Amino acid sequence: MLVNLRACLSARVCQPGLTERSCADARVQLVGSTPRLSLQQLQHRCMRLKALMSKLRFPRPSHTSAFGSQHELPIRASTTHLTRPMSQAKLRYLGGFFDGDGCVSAQSSHSSCRLLVAQSEKQVEILMTFYETFGGGICVQKVGTGLSKATLVWQAHGSSSRAAAAHLADVTFLKREQLLIAARWPRCKNMRAIAVQQLKKSKPKPDYSEFAISWPYLAGCFDAEGCISVPAKELAVRLNISQNHKELLESIALFVLEEVPGVAPRIYRNGSRNHVLTIFGTSHCIFILRRLIASGLRMKKRHAEVALAVPYSDHASIRAALAVLVGNQNRYRRLDEAGCHRARQICSVQRNLRTQLAVGTVERAVAHLKHLEQLRALHDLQSAASRYKLMRTDI
């Protein structure tokens, strides 16, 4: 039916209020004296600006700030913090975060294992938390380029890594086996080669034997891999957790089902390896965010506080407030207020088209289909124009 409708477009049944200038080959007038550009020209210019941005390198950071204090980089390795008492809630939080963003590897000399957690320089406070809890040190892993900020890394090795691994192994779900190898790293040189092979063969995998999901663990996991979003098409809250290991998401989904009555989490594949757990329903998401904040949510606490205001605020201000807090990864894909309005229009026409197809009114369905294609073409054109303008502003 839909193919036949597309063929009927030659009849030129137009929707009132739209002209042929709304089609894909229309041109848009950008700000200032910029000439009118087609969609293809805008896309080409955006690609060139993106390539230029990737070549911009920023100076290597010499200092960082966390918890209101300035720290000179690198922060030298230390073992003085290993004797500090830790609450079980804090340890479970760090275990959840390490399951999400942590790494266990052997040093090149095989003398010991290394535990690493890398984050953007904006998120240095979580690295300071690992440093203050387990010792180790913090240094620059990668300088900033383009929109990417510098990357800092917390790492522990030697006695610090063994002690940290022993603590974290009890509160992790995926990396327990790797952490146990690190905690028992042999002092005998001949045995280290065997340990290196064991570490290479061990892959992150779920360990159901001595582990149960908890709210502090989920708070750490959400800080590492979670996302709070307000869709462009409606004023609602969605929670997403991305992971390569579907088993972890399934365990989190079961935990949420037990703790939040009526919730319906969904897991779907995103790419060849990655999976995403999505939780819908604003009331359910707000309940979960409140529990996460009470359980020690740190990096995304401000994001959660913005989302909690959804029932009392408007769509544009909530999305603008979240855009300020999130990173630059989706900066040029995120729709502005005008783009959100166009997206809602497209959804409305899609609903009308489905209705007309269901009742069999072909002539009206053809009109809605033509209207839909025009709106999509106009949306692509104006979104590209907004993206181009933003990229020029950034440079």
Side-chain angles (χ1 to χ4, degrees):
M1 174 68 77
L2 194 59
V3 175
N4 294 335
L5 287 177
R6 293 186 187 278
C8 292
L9 288 180
S10 57
R12 303 180 66 83
V13 182
C14 295
Q15 182 74 11
L18 282 175
T19 67
E20 294 301 324
R21 295 180 63 83
S22 303
C23 296
D25 59 349
R27 298 179 182 273
V28 61
Q29 177 70 44
L30 298 179
V31 295
S33 59
T34 308
R36 296 172 183 269
L37 300 172
S38 68
L39 176 61
Q40 291 74 21
Q41 289 173 320
L42 286 167
Q43 290 173 339
H44 178 69
R45 293 193 178 193
C46 287
M47 289 178 60
R48 293 186 63 183
L49 289 176
K50 185 177 180 180
L52 174 61
M53 283 185 177
S54 66
K55 298 177 181 178
L56 300 177
R57 294 175 61 86
F58 296 97
R60 189 180 187 87
S62 59
H63 292 77
T64 188
S65 133
F67 304 114
S69 301
Q70 284 281 336
H71 303 273
E72 186 177 357
L73 293 173
I75 299 176
R76 301 297 178 183
S78 168
T79 59
T80 57
H81 305 290
L82 292 175
T83 57
R84 290 189 176 184
M86 285 178 288
S87 69
Q88 192 65 17
K90 179 180 180 181
L91 191 57
R92 288 181 178 274
Y93 169 87
L94 294 176
F97 196 94
F98 195 87
D99 257 349
D101 273 351
C103 174
V104 183
S105 66
Q107 288 191 297
S108 56
S109 64
H110 300 172
S111 59
S112 70
C113 265
R114 289 189 304 169
L115 306 187
L116 300 97
V117 177
Q119 289 290 309
S120 161
E121 61 179 337
K122 282 183 63 178
Q123 313 294 350
V124 69
E125 290 189 351
I126 185 63
L127 302 184
M128 288 298 300
T129 302
F130 274 92
Y131 171 75
E132 292 174 353
T133 305
F134 300 118
I138 300 174
C139 63
V140 179
Q141 185 184 57
K142 183 182 177 182
V143 299
T145 57
L147 285 180
S148 301
K149 296 186 178 296
T151 302
L152 305 183
V153 59
W154 167 80
Q155 54 184 338
H157 52 83
S159 60
S160 295
S161 68
R162 287 193 294 270
H167 282 97
L168 291 171
D170 294 332
V171 290
T172 50
F173 182 69
L174 289 176
K175 295 170 182 170
R176 174 180 168 81
E177 182 181 352
Q178 295 177 330
L179 288 166
L180 287 175
I181 294 174
R184 301 164 183 169
W185 197 257
R187 299 184 183 276
C188 174
K189 290 184 179 180
N190 296 330
M191 297 297 294
R192 288 174 184 168
I194 300 175
V196 170
Q197 293 304 315
Q198 289 177 337
L199 188 61
K200 288 181 178 179
K201 292 179 181 178
S202 68
K203 301 293 182 183
K205 59 183 179 181
D207 187 339
Y208 300 95
S209 59
E210 300 179 11
F211 184 83
I213 301 288
S214 62
W215 283 109
Y217 175 90
L218 183 55
C221 190
F222 192 83
D223 261 343
E225 303 282 9
C227 172
I228 303 170
S229 64
V230 173
K233 302 171 186 178
E234 58 179 333
L235 182 57
V237 181
R238 290 182 187 172
L239 305 181
N240 298 300
I241 301 177
S242 302
Q243 252 292 333
N244 290 336
H245 304 280
K246 187 178 179 182
E247 297 86 354
L248 174 59
L249 298 182
E250 289 173 342
S251 295
I252 293 175
L254 289 174
F255 173 77
V256 171
L257 283 169
E258 293 175 357
E259 296 286 327
V260 187
V263 71
R266 183 186 306 169
I267 299 175
Y268 62 92
R269 184 184 291 273
N270 182 23
S272 59
R273 295 178 57 193
N274 197 37
H275 293 82
V276 179
L277 167 66
T278 300
I279 299 174
F280 301 91
T282 299
S283 60
H284 295 140
C285 291
I286 286 178
F287 176 84
I288 292 171
L289 289 175
R290 285 177 175 156
R291 290 298 304 267
L292 292 177
I293 291 174
S295 301
L297 191 71
R298 302 182 183 206
M299 292 171 56
K300 294 185 172 69
K301 182 179 179 180
R302 292 178 62 193
H303 307 64
E305 290 170 345
V306 170
L308 293 179
V310 161
Y312 318 104
S313 189
D314 62 277
H315 184 263
S317 61
I318 290 291
R319 280 179 58 89
L322 283 175
V324 173
L325 297 174
V326 299
N328 293 327
Q329 186 175 2
N330 295 317
R331 178 170 173 79
Y332 300 127
R333 293 199 294 265
R334 191 179 301 117
L335 294 179
D336 56 14
E337 186 176 356
C340 293
H341 177 69
R342 294 193 302 270
R344 289 192 291 270
Q345 282 186 312
I346 290 172
C347 285
S348 176
V349 175
Q350 286 176 326
R351 287 193 296 269
N352 292 336
L353 175 60
R354 286 193 293 268
T355 300
Q356 299 305 326
L357 289 174
V359 299
T361 53
V362 177
E363 184 177 351
R364 290 186 178 181
V366 169
H368 283 301
L369 180 60
K370 184 174 180 64
H371 189 194
L372 179 62
E373 293 186 344
Q374 290 176 337
L375 284 176
R376 284 175 172 168
L378 185 63
H379 179 62
D380 291 342
L381 186 65
Q382 294 187 348
S383 296
S386 299
R387 190 181 312 119
Y388 176 56
K389 176 184 174 183
L390 183 58
M391 294 179 80
R392 289 186 63 183
T393 303
D394 288 342
I395 292 181

